[in-house]
Amino acid sequence: MSEDSNPAATPTPCQDIQGDGRWMSLHNRFVSDSKGKEPDVLFVGDSLVQLLHEFEVWRKLFSPLHALNFGVGGDATQHVLWRLMNGELDHISPKVVVLWVGTNNHGHTPGQICGGIMAIINVVHQKLPRAHTLVLGLLPRGKSPNPLRERNASVNAVVQAEVVSLSHVSFLDMDPGFIHSDGSIAHQDMYDYLHLTPQAYQRVCQPLHERIKSLLDKHAP
Amino acid sequence: MSAEENPAAEPAPVIDVQGDGRWMSQHNRFVQECKDAEPDVLFVGDSMVQLMQQNEVWRELFSPLHALNFGIGGDTTCNVLWRLQNGELENIRPRVVVLWVGTNNHEHTADQVAGGILAIAQLLLSRLPKSKIIVLGLLPRGEFPNPLREKNAAVNNLLRASLPQLGPVPFIDLGGSFVHSDGTISSRDMFDFLHLTAGAYRTISTALHELLLQLLEEMPQERRASLV
């Protein structure tokens, strides 16, 4: 699928509809952060990335790995693509880029969303040829079974298949089993059936932390 | 401004456009909580309320007051009004209700937003005549001065002037310390220049907690509530 015909893979900044320019403020801060800091790990994506930074688990597990957090709530693949192509990767050389995005791509098909994720992977590889990109699987959402759960699961399957042959990319399924036997997701895990509670973050971040550490260990000095 | 004239005072549920019905799921959960719980304090509003519960400060300061949290991210005054009229006040008699909503009313003018908040306060007063209603002011937002800061400040001024007409409804502006002398808001206080960091929640919660303790002390109790 060419980038021209896939809106999920067409770099697009967020328009400031509300009037306080917050998206651009965040992007600009990330660009200037990238000038001053030397992260080994870069997290990039949507609110699931952004909110991770606000909980204790970040300080405990990821700050010690010298990680930066470039998450923006509401971002879809085309927004993250634009940000990475417009300065957020320009002055840093992280060894591992953790990418978690796709759940906000409303109106896009799983194929399009995968195309968006692959476009991001390609940009990261162009700008940071020695970095490893760890793509995180989309989580289920909604209290009960619904089309978005199916869509996210499809995205995961397609992305996993696409990256299996790439040595500089790997995929990590982030769902520790949020869906109960009756098909429901508990508000103790997702307080709004989308965003993770601090305890749910603890659960998903243990394996993520392990995987990042092993990727850092493997990275050529 | 009557409800017919003010769109911000029109009760309206959130329509599920994304496809996973999350708003209704949250509303239904709150209605169920009303059947099971006996809160002394009810917090209702948007993400500013909702996210408070995900921070340590909730467990430390507000859970011990037997507080329930009926915040939903993205909610406008219309959505909160609808929720309160459709089950979220059934079977409960909180002694204090904390109302914090209005920053998401993007389609409405400051006048309309203030009118919407007043409509909610009026509803609460009529449904819970023995309870104290506290209205929290809208916080400034955005990294630099911008029209939404002016709008939120205008809403606050309108509320300061008009809430007293409803009776003793305290209006608390917790936003005083967030705008620095150069006009900027720090991401250390608002990680996305809208939502509060843990540190900022701690700052505002201390003041709010003090006020709640005071109000709960002053009020005649129908039954003993244990305050930690």
Side-chain angles (χ1 to χ4, degrees):
Chain A
M1 190 177 303
S2 79
E3 284 172 14
D4 307 318
S5 60
N6 181 5
T10 306
T12 312
C14 220
Q15 302 297 350
D16 178 27
I17 301 172
Q18 295 178 356
D20 54 8
R22 297 183 304 106
W23 191 87
M24 200 53 79
S25 289
L26 286 170
H27 169 64
N28 290 336
R29 188 175 93 232
F30 296 157
V31 173
S32 74
D33 275 357
S34 80
K35 288 180 188 152
K37 304 203 168 100
E38 292 180 5
D40 285 330
V41 185
L42 175 68
F43 282 71
V44 66
D46 54 32
S47 59
L48 288 169
V49 172
Q50 186 174 39
L51 288 171
L52 175 56
H53 185 267
E54 300 310 312
F55 294 127
E56 203 33 24
V57 68
W58 180 268
R59 205 185 55 82
K60 282 214 180 99
L61 295 184
F62 301 118
S63 294
L65 301 182
H66 304 113
L68 268 193
N69 187 307
F70 287 3
V72 177
D75 267 15
T77 54
Q78 62 272 22
H79 305 122
V80 170
L81 190 56
W82 188 93
R83 292 197 281 118
L84 296 181
M85 291 173 72
N86 284 274
E88 289 183 19
L89 293 180
D90 286 1
H91 307 276
I92 49 176
S93 310
K95 299 171 179 153
V96 178
V97 175
V98 181
L99 174 63
W100 206 7
V101 67
T103 200
N104 295 321
N105 277 67
H106 297 294
H108 300 157
T109 65
Q112 288 174 323
I113 300 171
C114 176
I117 291 171
M118 294 313 298
I120 294 169
I121 289 170
N122 290 338
V123 164
V124 171
H125 192 51
Q126 276 166 43
K127 289 190 176 264
L128 305 171
R130 297 180 60 238
H132 189 97
T133 297
L134 176 60
V135 181
L136 304 186
L138 304 187
L139 293 177
R141 50 185 286 174
K143 177 161 193 253
S144 314
N146 66 83
L148 291 187
R149 284 200 199 166
E150 292 157 35
R151 182 204 67 177
N152 284 4
S154 297
V155 170
N156 291 347
V158 181
V159 169
Q160 222 168 336
E162 282 271 341
V163 306
V164 74
S165 54
L166 302 173
S167 59
H168 60 280
V169 188
S170 47
F171 178 90
L172 179 63
D173 180 357
M174 291 291 278
D175 181 7
F178 284 131
I179 300 176
H180 293 231
S181 51
D182 65 354
S184 70
I185 289 179
H187 70 272
Q188 290 88 345
D189 290 324
M190 295 185 186
Y191 57 88
D192 61 355
Y193 311 107
L194 172 62
H195 296 105
L196 300 173
T197 60
Q199 81 187 35
Y201 266 124
Q202 292 283 353
R203 261 172 99 190
V204 310
C205 285
Q206 290 301 331
L208 174 58
H209 177 246
E210 291 306 311
R211 179 68 80 95
I212 295 174
K213 277 208 305 184
S214 85
L215 286 170
L216 286 171
D217 289 339
K218 284 194 204 126
H219 194 272
Chain B
M1 197 182 301
S2 71
E4 291 88 66
E5 296 165 4
N6 182 5
E10 282 280 332
V14 167
I15 309 297
D16 178 27
V17 297
Q18 293 180 356
D20 54 9
R22 297 183 306 105
W23 190 86
M24 199 52 79
S25 294
Q26 292 170 80
H27 166 65
N28 289 336
R29 184 173 94 230
F30 298 156
V31 172
Q32 185 59 44
E33 282 181 36
C34 285
K35 294 177 184 152
D36 303 331
E38 289 180 2
D40 283 329
V41 184
L42 175 68
F43 283 75
V44 66
D46 54 29
S47 59
M48 307 302 299
V49 171
Q50 186 168 40
L51 286 175
M52 203 183 289
Q53 191 171 19
Q54 302 308 315
N55 276 278
E56 257 311 278
V57 78
W58 183 266
R59 201 186 53 83
E60 283 174 26
L61 297 182
F62 300 117
S63 289
L65 302 185
H66 303 112
L68 274 191
N69 187 309
F70 287 1
I72 298 185
D75 265 18
T76 63
T77 53
C78 309
N79 308 137
V80 169
L81 201 49
W82 189 93
R83 293 197 279 121
L84 294 176
Q85 289 180 355
N86 286 274
E88 290 185 21
L89 291 177
E90 296 296 316
N91 300 311
I92 54 170
R93 274 209 206 89
R95 293 155 63 203
V96 182
V97 180
V98 180
L99 173 63
W100 204 7
V101 68
T103 201
N104 294 321
N105 280 60
H106 296 298
E107 309 293 304
H108 306 137
T109 64
D111 272 303
Q112 291 172 331
V113 179
I117 294 168
L118 280 166
I120 298 170
Q122 270 169 323
L123 171 73
L124 290 167
L125 286 168
S126 69
R127 291 289 300 269
L128 302 166
K130 296 201 189 131
S131 306
K132 206 71 173 183
I133 314 302
I134 301 177
V135 175
L136 299 188
L138 305 187
L139 296 184
R141 49 186 287 172
E143 192 184 5
F144 304 109
N146 65 82
L148 290 187
R149 281 201 204 168
E150 290 158 36
K151 180 182 167 190
N152 283 3
V155 171
N156 291 345
N157 287 334
L158 287 163
L159 290 173
R160 265 185 208 101
S162 50
L163 276 171
Q165 292 161 34
L166 298 185
V169 178
F171 173 77
I172 313 298
D173 185 354
L174 297 168
S177 59
F178 293 122
V179 180
H180 295 226
S181 52
D182 63 356
T184 63
I185 288 178
S186 164
S187 58
R188 268 188 282 277
D189 289 323
M190 296 185 182
F191 60 86
D192 61 354
F193 308 110
L194 172 62
H195 296 106
L196 300 174
T197 59
Y201 266 122
R202 193 161 285 285
T203 303
I204 65 159
S205 295
T206 311
L208 184 54
H209 180 249
E210 284 302 310
L211 175 64
L212 287 175
L213 281 183
Q214 216 179 295
L215 289 173
L216 288 167
E217 278 295 301
E218 284 170 14
M219 297 171 69
Q221 296 174 63
E222 287 179 18
R223 64 183 181 285
R224 281 267 134 213
S226 58
L227 297 176
V228 172

